[in-house]
Amino acid sequence: DGGITQSPKYLFRKEGQNVTLSCEQNLNHDAMYWYRQDPGQGLRLIYYSQIVNDFQKGDIAEGYSVSREKKESFPLTVTSAQKNPTAFYLCASSPDLRRHETNYGYTFGSGTRLTVV
Amino acid sequence: AQSVAQPEDQVNVAEGNPLTVKCTYSVSGNPYLFWYVQYPNRGLQFLLKYITGDNLVKGSYGFEAEFNKSQTSFHLKKPSALVSDSALYFCAVRDSQLSSGSARQLTFGSGTQLTVLP
């Protein structure tokens, strides 16, 4: 079955450490997205990528970095510059919305809960 | 620009009663509208979408939503709520006009926590 996989499900980070969250999809989607969700809050866009080797900052990109070397993969690194990284992180993918498939929604992964210890 | 509003942070309803979760939107062109549900510590799951055609859209788990163009609304409904429907619900919109950069993405509402009381 096609889908989008995030790993790990739970991640603990020490102060000053960089950590990388994995997101892999086998849906042949061109676009991928990273969101942050805080308790009781909505979704805030961190980064998105519409094509391999290209990505754009979202609303809260500071302290985060991404890469898009393969169509299937869009890892997110939470750097030590992110002062409050404890949150639930969601990855999503969709067809390339610059074409005509605008009636598609997003497919979401199951999320990674990051906690600073 | 496109935007979506969910005016209620929390909705409580008794099991067996009908439920409504409200959503209003703003777009330049025609809207593509979506509802997602999120259970604790899980990703968002697609419930239903409106693209065109019949204003009443039926989706998963007995949910339906009514598109009202004059009121720019897309409220989620279910005739008889279950305790297992308790979750966080998100409305999302995309503008049909591809020329807008923001139309390349979904814009999500802030979410509504639905609690169904036994």
Side-chain angles (χ1 to χ4, degrees):
Chain A
D1 288 339
I4 182 166
T5 302
Q6 289 187 244
S7 62
K9 189 171 178 63
Y10 299 96
L11 186 59
F12 298 92
R13 191 193 95 167
K14 294 181 179 179
E15 296 280 352
Q17 262 187 345
N18 293 353
V19 292
T20 297
L21 284 60
S22 171
C23 180
E24 304 274 337
Q25 55 97 1
N26 60 2
L27 299 166
N28 199 32
H29 284 169
D30 292 293
M32 298 185 75
Y33 314 84
W34 274 106
Y35 288 91
R36 171 178 172 143
Q37 187 178 28
D38 292 285
Q41 301 293 314
L43 306 176
R44 291 189 288 171
L45 183 64
I46 305 172
Y47 269 98
Y48 65 99
S49 168
Q50 293 175 314
I51 196 170
V52 174
N53 292 322
D54 183 61
F55 48 83
Q56 305 295 327
K57 292 182 178 180
D59 301 319
I60 56 164
E62 185 175 352
Y64 300 97
S65 66
V66 293
S67 62
R68 188 85 187 276
E69 298 176 0
K70 298 187 300 181
K71 186 176 184 178
E72 301 80 12
S73 178
F74 191 41
L76 174 74
T77 296
V78 184
T79 74
S80 57
Q82 172 49 242
K83 297 307 178 187
N84 185 23
T86 295
F88 191 55
Y89 290 86
L90 286 164
C91 181
S93 69
S94 75
D96 187 347
L97 304 179
R98 294 171 297 180
R99 301 186 205 148
H100 59 277
E101 304 98 336
T102 55
N103 58 355
Y104 278 84
Y106 292 178
T107 300
F108 282 85
S110 56
T112 293
R113 183 163 296 283
L114 174 63
T115 303
V116 174
V117 296
Chain B
Q2 58 189 36
S3 65
V4 61
Q6 293 181 242
E8 301 159 318
D9 291 336
Q10 175 84 37
V11 170
N12 296 328
V13 63
E15 187 173 29
N17 283 2
L19 70 86
T20 298
V21 182
K22 296 180 180 178
C23 172
T24 59
Y25 66 89
S26 176
V27 294
S28 300
N30 292 317
Y32 297 133
L33 293 155
F34 304 81
W35 275 103
Y36 289 85
V37 59
Q38 184 183 31
Y39 298 99
N41 293 312
R42 303 299 298 271
L44 276 66
Q45 298 177 31
F46 170 79
L47 274 180
L48 51 81
K49 67 180 178 182
Y50 171 83
I51 303 302
T52 187
D54 195 348
N55 289 344
L56 185 63
V57 179
K58 294 188 182 297
S60 306
Y61 312 119
F63 283 93
E64 57 190 28
E66 186 170 10
F67 171 64
N68 187 316
K69 188 171 184 178
S70 63
Q71 297 185 4
T72 62
S73 67
F74 189 57
H75 300 332
L76 182 70
K77 300 181 180 183
K78 188 173 183 180
S80 178
L82 300 172
V83 172
S84 57
D85 293 330
S86 298
L88 187 58
Y89 290 81
F90 289 95
C91 182
V93 68
R94 178 183 299 123
D95 196 325
S96 63
Q97 290 188 341
L98 275 180
S99 58
S100 168
S102 64
R104 298 174 182 177
Q105 300 174 32
L106 286 182
T107 295
F108 289 88
S110 55
T112 298
Q113 180 66 47
L114 172 69
T115 301
V116 181
L117 306 169

